[in-house]
Amino acid sequence: MPKRIFHAITFLYLSGLLILLFFRPNGSNYGSVNLIPFETIYFYLSGNVGFLIAFYNLSANIGLFIPFGLYYRYIKQPASMKELLIITIFTISTIEGLQFFTKRGSLDIDDLLLNVVGVWIGYLVQPVFQKVLDIK
């Protein structure tokens, strides 16, 4: 796959994700703040909500960010886990803050943690993807 197409696909994916993160149904209360790590994760895993709702929320927070770890490792040579984590934490924190201040999402430390785990997983599995997808 040519790098130009790979960049375009990643940009389209990022655009779609930002739309998903910021354009939510009106009438919902998104003004909550949770800065206690693992509180939301525990809430979902403790059986307070149905299995499918818990699975969807936790897996979406991780899975939607895996492509960014893959992308970083494809374009950055040599790739640095430390640099990736700094970029990821800063970027996702900014998105979380913007969602909160624009009333388009809540401020939740667990979302940040799960999103960072998603990027980290993408970074780790990139060598497997590289055997399937050759970027030139």
Side-chain angles (χ1 to χ4, degrees), residues 84-95 112:
L84 176 64
L85 289 177
I86 291 168
I87 293 168
T88 302
I89 290 169
F90 174 77
T91 305
I92 295 172
S93 296
T94 302
I95 291 170
L112 171 68

Side-chain angles (χ1 to χ4, degrees), residues 31-41 96 100 106-111:
S32 65
V33 176
N34 172 32
L35 299 178
I36 301 170
F38 306 109
E39 184 175 58
T40 304
I41 296 169
E96 284 283 322
F100 177 73
S106 58
L107 189 61
D108 191 344
I109 190 73
D110 288 348
D111 287 348

